[in-house]
Structure formats: C-alpha cells, structure tokens
Amino acid sequence: MSSAGYQPLKTDDQAYDHPQGPPAGRGSPRSRRIAISVCFVVCAAALSLLYAFPPYFGPDTLTTSSSSPGALLDHEGPLKQCAASGPPPASPPAPVNPWASLTVPETTALTDWLNVPERALNLTPGTSAHISDNYIYHIGAWRPAKADALAYLADPQDTAPPDRYARVTIHHGAAAEPTVQDYLVGPLPVSGATGIRPLTEVYHRPEIPYNARGYTTLAELQPILIDVMPKMAEATQELFGGVALGLANDTLVGGAVGPLSFDGSFRRGWINWRRNVAGPYLHPVGFFLYVDMTGTDSNEWKLLKIVYNHQVFEGVDDFMGAFRNGTLRRLPARPDNHDIDWTTRKRPDGPRRDLDHLPGPRSVSFAGLRFRVDRETQYVSWMGWGMYLGFDRDMGLSLWDIKFRGERLIYELAPQEAIAQYAGNDPMQSTTAWLDRFFGMGGSVRDMLPGYDCPHEAVFLPATTNTFAGSITRERAICIFEHDSGRPITRHMGYAEGEFGAVRGYNLVVRSIATVGNYDYLFDYIFHIDGTIEVRLSASGYLQGGFWEPSQEGYGTAIRDTTMGSLHDHVINYKVDLDVAGEKNSLLFTHTHQEEVEQPWFEDDWGSTVLQQKITRTFIESEDDALLKFPYNFQGGYSLVNRDETNRWGIPRGNVVNPVHDVRLHCACPNIAGPAGCGADGRRLMVVLRNAEWIRRAALCDARPRTRRRALCRVAARVISCVSPSSRPDGTSVSVAGWLTSGLWCS
C-alpha cells in the first residue's frame, strides 16, 4: 500500500510492471540472497588467485602498437604487468671492489686483534677512554696502490685482488710523552700473516704531537668549563638569560673553534657561548673564553682571558668585579629570549602560498629504472657509464674506475678537504678556519630522507664507517637516481630537411649528504649522456652566526636583531686521477689571444687589417708550472690529453676541466688564521702532478686524518708541502693526477 501522496511511476512498458506476488517457479528472497553470496565468493576467489599468481610477460609485451584510448579494453592478449621498482642487476668488471670500506666484522676482528696483550698497546675502549688513555681513534680501509688495482681489474679471472689493509689511528695518551700514531695493519682478514707497523710515510715527522690533535667529543672541554662558568652564573643569568653549570638542562652551551694549534707545541682555543635551544648556532650571546688545554691533565688547564663587548678581562675575578661595580659596558639584550621558533625546522606560521596545498611534480620511470646496481660490490652502470663506489670516514663518498663506453676516463674521483674560513670583529669568527675532514664527512652522514633528499624512486645504498665509539652502518648513506634535466642537450629547428631535431637531457646522479656540525654538505656526482661528468657541492643547514652589533659592519649581514651571517669562504678540494686513453697523459693549456692580421682580400671599405682572436696551445711539462688558475675572463682552460692517441683528424684525445656555475674557485684570503690557514696555493684552481712517485706520496698525504695542523701537509697546498721541489724527478711521465679546487662565498 502506497503512502499518502505517493503513486508508483506509470509506464506503458509491460516489462517494468511488477506483479504483487512472486512469479511462479521463482525461489524465495532468501534463496536468491544465498545464490548471490555464493557467486560473489567464487568471483572474489578467482580474482585473488589471478592477483597472487599473475602471468609473466617479457619485455616485448611492455608496449602496444595501439594508441587509442580503448586499446587496453580491445586488446585480446593478457594484461601487462608493471615494471619492477628496483634497479636491474649490474655486471661489475671484477667481482671484488678493491676500494670497499671495511665491514663491521672486519673492524671488530681487527679491534680484538689489537687488544691482545702481546701487542703491548694497552688500549682502553673508546667509549670509556679519557684523553690520558691509549685508545683507537679510527679504523679505516687503506686503499691499494693504483698499479695493483689496475692489474687486478685487467684480468680478474687469473689475478688475485690486492691484499686488504687497514689504517689504524691510535691516541697514545698514556705514554710518557703522548703522541698520535697511525699504523698499517694487514693483510686482512685477520690471520697468522697479519702484522702491524707505524705508517710514517704519510707525514713530515714520524709521530704527531698530542697537542696538535683535535678533540674526540666536546665532553673533553668540560673540566675547564665547569670550573669557570658556575663562578660567573650570576652575571651570565643577568646578561644572557642563561647559565652553564655542567648539567643537562643548562641554558647556555659552549662551542670551540679551530684550529687549536699550529705545530703541536700548545693546545688553546676560543669558546663561544650560545643559547641552548634548537639551532644554537644562530643564538650567540657575544661572550668568549680563551682557554689553554695543553697536556692530558685537565687540572693544569687554565682560563687565559675573557672577552665581552670588546672588553678583555684577565680572569673570572676581573670580569665579575667589573660586572658588580658597574664598569662593565653591556651589549644590548637579545629581544628573542622567548622566541626561539625562528631557528627551528618547523614550518612558519602565515598564509600558505597559492596552490601550495597540491603535491608537487615527481618523476616516474614507468617502464622501470634505466640504471643498474650491484649491491654487493657497489658497482653502478648507466647509459654506457660504469663505476665502483667507495666510502670512508674522513670524506665519505668516492668514485673509482669510472668508465664511459668501456674505456676508463678516471681512476679516482674523491673529495680531499672542505675548508671554511670566517671573518668578523669578535674572537671566534676572526680566528675560525674549519677543516671538516677532521670531523669526518663520511662519519657524519646520516640516513637520507626519501622524497626530500633524493627523489621517490632513488635507489639507496649503505655505508659503514668507524670511529672511537665503534662502527656504524647507515642504510641510506648513498642515493642513485636518474632524472630529466628539463632541457635538451642539443636541438635545432632549421629550414631544410634533416635540420630539425632534439635530444632530451638525462642525468644520473650519485649523491651523499654529510651533516657536519651546523652545515649540511650535499655531494653530487652527475653523469651526462654526452660523456660529461659534473661535480657539484651544495651547502645547507645553519649559519655559524655571530652576535650583531654596530662594530660588525663590513663583516657580514644582520639577519635578526642581534644575529648576523658572517663573511666566510667554503673551499672544497677534489682529487681527480684521469686516465685519458691510457695512463700516459699530458696537461694542455689552451687559451686565446688577440691578433691583428692583414690579408690580400681585405678591401679599403673595411680597412686593410682585422683584429680577431687566435687559439694558442701549450703543453705544461713541469710540476713547477702546474700550480694553476683559470685565465682572466675564462679566456682559456686546461685539459688532460694523450699525445700518443689521436682521433681520426689527428687531434690528441683528451678531457677538458671546466668550471660550472658562478662559484668561487679558490681561497679569497689564503693566510687567514696564520700560516696554517688556506695556504699560499689555496689560491690555485688546480695542482697537477705527472710523476708516479710524487702522485703516490701526495695520495698518501691525502689519506691522513685531519686531526692536526701544520705538523702535517698544509691544507690546499698538500701537494707542495708533501714533496719538496728537489724530489721531483724529470722525464718519468707515466700518469697525471689533479687536485681541483672549488668553493663558494657567503655572507
């Protein structure tokens, strides 16, 4: 019975007329429901089996010749299967990576071997050691000689891989005269044949003075700081709104600068105080202590001076006396004492940008990744490129045996040092010259964030490093991905047939990111399909900010009421061992000059002469002449060529070194922080060596840990100070290696 006001819709089609009762021969509604349920279960089971065991289709069936929207529905064959998300396996030229890092089992076995009493090293575990103990500071792989590695790669079936050795750095703090000593230990794995000897050929002197070292952790500074700072708590609370009592909830935190020594005769440094909040690097309070930490007995350490608002005090009593008697000239108070969100990584409040709620574009390789990876050996190949990856505690990611279309171009491509030099009108910024290799660029790598640090479909590889605290493996230390550059590498739209065409620009990127204190360094090695290798380094993170007040004008820029970004340089040095068509390479300088020429075809309408450019090519034969800068206006450049191997037109085959982007290429202020700063040759773009023995010795110099200063090879001038000019034999050109410098200027 219809409700009041409702009538069924009338229709002339008898098929839509529903009788009042069930038709004859039909089951009850309950029977129909059971039948429908059974059909649903059967269909669901069939679909589940199809999903669980999909048919396999080879690569020939990944595409269809039909381009119509209904092709999928009209296709009579089986449905296609999505490509695998991982990379296809690579085929490394040799089954062993000669430059692989030490594994955790290897370092553990080596540590046990070193702790055996008959070694007489008297070692204390690094996690519980004091500076007055003997402890292992670092264990890392010692890379094989180039000749041994190449012999193995040339015939991996019949030639054994080079023996593995480890470089072990031990701090002998318990010795009568404490020193730092490197040892060569091997061969590995540990066996009856394993031995140990001092590794002295790396340095100018057989042992490194203990005072020339850096610091293992900032906790080393605690004895002097907790002796001094509580005595000034009244003043620091009133002046800066915080105290440092040596407790976990201290509201002030100290940071040491570098260097601490030039030659190891002393160990002194400035302590800069900041607020203990997120991003403390941007919360300096303008308070500095100069402390002497010479020796291993912290009871003998002492405070040398205090600096506050350009006033120098001889000690705590002098400073507190001025504070209490009203003669202390005070800095302006920080207005952000209760506003610290601006230095956090939280998204700032405020209106969102237009369409910011939508997800951004992302790359998808619909047919599967186009690069190959062998995880066991960390070998990567892409579009004719192939390379092994290495990784170490000091500088992180390195690339080895880089080949293009089956021919080796580079034996080794590896960063050597990252220098940061500061300027300012305060004790910290004006004396800071960081050598980030000491802190461990590789040991500072953390797991990267998929989708942010690298694209979503990037492939991640692990890396293992070792420090005094033990070994650690980061599963996402390296990422590899291909991406569309968004621009063609060549194109032309001409007028005649055959003059139109374009080639897309694709790159393969191998990336690693190191977080060293306040800075994040993003290392990129970019491979292009035209045979170009691009090396790029980007910096992010936090500035090492200074306290802004009027006298800092000219040394940076105010970024907050009392915070400034200080003027500083970043200089990055790379070693590039090129093998262009073989190992016998030469350095070629190509530049242009102007000439005025007269030709018989010139007419009086245009004059009898013309001024034009002309190319000049000069081979650089001596290392003395290979301390290089680019010419003014970049009217020239350098290339590594093989004079014995020419192309079909008789031109020596070679590779050119080009600067890219508008970046600083050398130190702007080479003598900052004294003679152990950037060094005279830090102003050079390239230092190129041609003698095999000199290259070997320079490479050993690069392998050292940057825990000391002038006692070692000078930074950015290591090639010069490692080998004296008198030790350079002539006429033995068998290989060429370059140390390339790049950098950026910040303020």
Side-chain angles (χ1 to χ4, degrees), residues 615-671:
I615 297 173
T616 299
R617 295 181 175 90
T618 305
F619 284 101
I620 299 175
E621 304 291 352
S622 169
E623 288 91 349
D624 291 312
D625 299 325
L627 311 176
L628 309 173
K629 291 182 180 180
F630 269 109
Y632 173 76
N633 201 34
F634 294 111
Q635 292 179 216
Y638 301 93
S639 55
L640 276 296
V641 303
N642 191 322
R643 286 189 264 190
D644 298 330
E645 296 290 334
T646 60
N647 61 19
R648 69 182 68 178
W649 302 281
I651 306 298
R653 297 177 58 194
N655 287 73
V656 65
V657 178
N658 281 326
V660 293
H661 309 297
D662 185 18
V663 297
R664 184 176 301 282
L665 295 174
H666 53 76
C667 296
C669 186
N671 293 320

Side-chain angles (χ1 to χ4, degrees), residues 423-445:
N425 195 18
D426 65 59
M428 179 175 180
Q429 306 292 62
S430 62
T431 61
T432 296
W434 295 120
L435 285 78
D436 285 332
R437 180 169 184 144
F438 155 67
F439 297 101
M441 302 286 271
S444 301
V445 165

Side-chain angles (χ1 to χ4, degrees), residues 18-318:
H18 299 283
Q20 295 295 319
R26 287 200 176 183
S28 66
R30 180 180 179 185
S31 299
R32 291 199 302 272
R33 286 197 298 271
I34 293 175
I36 293 173
S37 299
V38 171
C39 290
F40 177 78
V41 170
V42 172
C43 291
L47 289 174
S48 299
L49 287 173
L50 181 62
Y51 180 79
F53 303 99
Y56 172 76
F57 306 108
D60 294 339
T61 61
L62 283 175
T63 59
T64 177
S65 58
S66 174
S67 58
S68 64
L72 181 61
L73 296 177
D74 297 338
H75 188 61
E76 297 180 356
L79 294 175
K80 307 298 185 291
Q81 183 179 1
C82 292
S85 59
S91 298
V96 174
N97 182 345
W99 310 279
S101 304
L102 297 180
T103 64
V104 174
E106 284 178 320
T107 55
T108 301
L110 188 52
T111 301
D112 293 340
W113 186 86
L114 292 168
N115 276 282
V116 172
E118 48 262 37
R119 309 278 175 259
L121 294 173
N122 189 27
L123 297 174
T124 300
T127 52
S128 59
H130 299 282
I131 60 173
S132 56
D133 294 323
N134 297 342
Y135 62 95
I136 299 172
Y137 178 78
H138 168 57
I139 300 176
W142 181 255
R143 266 70 184 259
K146 179 178 180 179
D148 296 337
L150 291 183
Y152 166 66
L153 294 175
D155 187 11
Q157 298 299 324
D158 298 326
T159 304
D163 289 335
R164 277 169 71 77
Y165 285 82
R167 187 195 81 205
V168 180
T169 304
I170 296 180
H171 285 197
H172 292 282
E177 186 169 343
T179 60
V180 176
Q181 180 68 65
D182 273 12
Y183 297 92
L184 189 65
V185 183
L188 302 177
V190 171
S191 67
T194 301
I196 181 172
R197 69 168 178 85
L199 187 59
T200 57
E201 59 265 37
V202 180
Y203 307 107
H204 291 299
R205 49 199 294 183
E207 295 176 334
I208 302 303
Y210 209 55
N211 289 325
R213 76 190 192 285
Y215 44 83
T216 304
T217 68
L218 286 175
E220 286 186 19
L221 311 180
Q222 284 294 92
I224 182 68
L225 300 184
I226 62 176
D227 176 60
V228 171
M229 289 301 290
K231 300 174 184 176
M232 298 185 287
E234 176 189 356
T236 60
Q237 181 63 51
E238 183 173 326
L239 295 173
F240 316 125
V243 296
L245 306 176
L247 304 176
N249 62 347
D250 280 348
T251 46
L252 292 180
V253 61
V257 306
L260 300 178
S261 181
F262 288 138
D263 58 8
S265 61
F266 62 84
R267 189 167 183 260
R268 299 171 184 168
W270 286 97
I271 308 298
N272 173 42
W273 290 93
R274 307 166 174 134
R275 298 173 62 205
N276 191 12
V277 296
Y281 318 100
L282 297 178
H283 291 271
V285 298
F287 189 56
F288 310 93
L289 308 181
Y290 190 51
V291 297
D292 187 336
M293 300 166 286
T294 302
T296 59
D297 186 357
S298 60
N299 294 321
E300 297 182 0
W301 296 357
K302 52 185 176 292
L303 174 68
L304 300 178
K305 63 184 71 173
I306 299 173
V307 174
Y308 170 73
N309 195 16
H310 307 282
Q311 302 161 89
V312 181
F313 303 93
E314 297 303 319
V316 173
D317 294 340
D318 191 16

